[in-house]
Amino acid sequence: MSSELDLRALEALGWGPDFGDAYQTFRAALSSGEQERVTPVRVVGVQRQTFQVRGVDGEQEARLAGASRHSGALTPAIGDWCVLEAASDGSGRLLEVLPRRTTFARAVGGEEGKRAGAVRQQVIAANVDLVLIVTSPDLDFDLERLERYVLAVQHSGARPVLVLNKADLHAQADWWVEQLRSLGPDLEIHVTSAQASSEQNAEAQQGEGLDGVRALLTPGVTLALIGSSGVGKSTLTNALLGRPAAPTGEVRASDQQGRHTTTSRTLYAVPGGGLLIDNPGLRDIAVWDADAAGFEDLEALATQCRFRKCTHTTEPGCAVQAAVRAGEVSAARLAAFQKQSGRRGRR
């Protein structure tokens, strides 16, 4: 980061003054010899034991430094900015994860939580600016699940954008769009028809309705895609990149579910500017620390209900139901709130 050219290269990867300040603070604590061997890099790929990182010197493989593995430090996630130390054998070691601007995570519970001993956080991506929540007008469409996606993205600090993909499956997409609008009046919605083809060439990946999505990808902006398998996330990725970077698969006719064709998280540089993260299909997601986030407004409304233990279903004098009837709260949001309240009641 010693020259203007280096700074421009880092900014194209999403670098900003906040990362620069944190990097310089970490670097200042090193010896002069150590300072010459470190550089900031961004995690662009995650494998089991190694990480693909990219910086001003291009892309390379790196491992987590031994001291970091045993110190309780953060484990790098896709999109993280890290301090890389070059080793004499040409390999790289990640010494530090710089403070995250945003953290997109989910709460891992159920059987996974039981194995871990408690509900824990799983970081899906870091330093993401926008998250495309992708769905399709078929059996995948589930407002309650989409509501959880929106809440998780908002809680991360990123901005959610809804995408109704495969709009060509129905002559009229208006009904589906209206359903998406019920999730929030300020949510941006795009209707697309990104189609996969057997040839997987750039021309076949153009699709319809993608210009508005492409406009979101400005230089330095990081965008991630989430949604169930089979909704076309990898096809959208290929359409935006103009090349078959992510594998696509067929959707089963029996239940319209797709195979998990994306098995690792990858950060791509988009032609013309911007960065894009493709994630494995997520069947379900919950907001990390959901008990403390996302429903403050409904908690406040609940205090105005006539009955102290109101379930917000059929009780007279329910302030929450009144807000739903007035269009101030979506039915999907109320369902998510009731589900969370039920979980707390069973503890």
Side-chain angles (χ1 to χ4, degrees):
M1 209 174 69
S2 58
S3 69
E4 182 181 353
L5 177 62
D6 290 343
L7 183 58
R8 287 202 301 268
L10 290 173
E11 288 174 342
L13 291 171
W15 186 257
D18 48 345
F19 300 122
D21 291 344
Y23 171 70
Q24 293 297 351
T25 298
F26 180 86
R27 187 172 181 272
L30 302 175
S31 67
S32 57
E34 291 172 325
Q35 289 180 1
E36 294 301 316
R37 296 198 300 271
V38 299
T39 185
V41 293
R42 194 168 192 194
V43 177
V44 298
V46 177
Q47 290 78 43
R48 286 181 179 271
Q49 301 294 329
T50 61
F51 303 87
Q52 288 298 122
V53 297
R54 189 179 303 153
V56 295
D57 297 322
E59 189 169 318
Q60 72 173 92
E61 186 176 87
R63 292 180 179 274
L64 194 61
S68 298
R69 287 201 299 268
H70 302 294
S71 66
L74 289 175
T75 300
I78 190 76
D80 264 324
W81 281 97
C82 300
V83 179
L84 177 77
E85 179 187 48
S88 57
D89 61 0
S91 62
R93 299 191 309 152
L94 299 179
L95 303 180
E96 180 81 353
V97 177
L98 299 180
R100 291 162 174 159
R101 185 180 294 167
T102 64
T103 303
F104 183 47
R106 68 172 178 172
V108 178
E111 292 303 315
E112 292 180 80
K114 291 175 185 177
R115 287 194 296 269
V119 175
R120 61 182 177 84
Q121 182 190 43
Q122 181 190 46
V123 178
I124 298 172
N127 304 314
V128 174
D129 302 299
L130 298 170
V131 177
L132 296 188
I133 302 172
V134 186
T135 187
S136 54
D138 52 27
L139 294 178
D140 171 77
F141 196 88
D142 185 327
L143 273 181
E144 185 176 338
R145 185 177 65 231
L146 292 171
E147 181 81 14
R148 290 195 295 273
Y149 280 131
V150 170
L151 291 173
V153 175
Q154 291 174 333
H155 189 58
S156 77
R159 180 164 70 91
V161 176
L162 297 169
V163 175
L164 181 69
N165 193 32
K166 301 186 179 181
D168 55 297
L169 294 177
H170 289 269
Q172 297 293 330
D174 294 349
W175 183 87
W176 307 94
V177 172
E178 286 302 315
Q179 295 299 303
L180 292 177
R181 287 199 179 112
S182 72
L183 296 177
D186 298 326
L187 290 173
E188 186 172 344
I189 300 172
H190 292 269
V191 179
T192 62
S193 298
Q195 290 292 317
S197 74
S198 57
E199 293 82 10
Q200 293 292 297
N201 53 49
E203 289 76 17
Q205 293 297 326
Q206 292 303 307
E208 297 181 2
L210 292 176
D211 288 344
V213 177
R214 287 194 184 95
L216 299 171
L217 284 161
T218 55
V221 168
T222 301
L223 182 150
L225 293 90
I226 63 172
S228 300
S229 58
V231 297
K233 298 187 306 299
S234 294
T235 302
L236 276 170
T237 295
N238 293 340
L240 292 170
L241 293 174
R243 59 187 177 88
T248 60
E250 297 297 326
V251 175
R252 294 190 300 265
S254 59
D255 57 5
Q256 294 184 308
Q257 294 297 317
R259 299 183 182 90
H260 291 270
T261 54
T262 303
T263 57
S264 62
R265 298 181 178 98
T266 306
L267 187 150
Y268 300 98
V270 180
L275 304 126
L276 188 152
I277 295 174
D278 190 22
N279 281 302
L282 298 176
R283 292 303 182 100
D284 199 9
I285 194 166
V287 181
W288 172 246
D289 195 18
D291 288 344
F295 294 107
E296 292 87 352
D297 56 336
L298 297 190
E299 294 281 5
L301 277 174
T303 64
Q304 303 173 29
C305 294
R306 181 183 302 176
F307 301 105
R308 186 171 62 87
K309 293 185 178 181
C310 184
T311 63
H312 319 302
T313 53
T314 59
E315 294 91 343
C318 175
V320 177
Q321 283 287 352
V324 172
R325 290 192 295 272
E328 299 169 359
V329 175
S330 71
R333 183 168 169 76
L334 172 58
F337 175 61
Q338 289 169 326
K339 188 171 184 178
Q340 175 180 289
S341 299
R343 286 196 300 266
R344 287 203 301 260
R346 289 192 294 272
R347 292 176 184 172

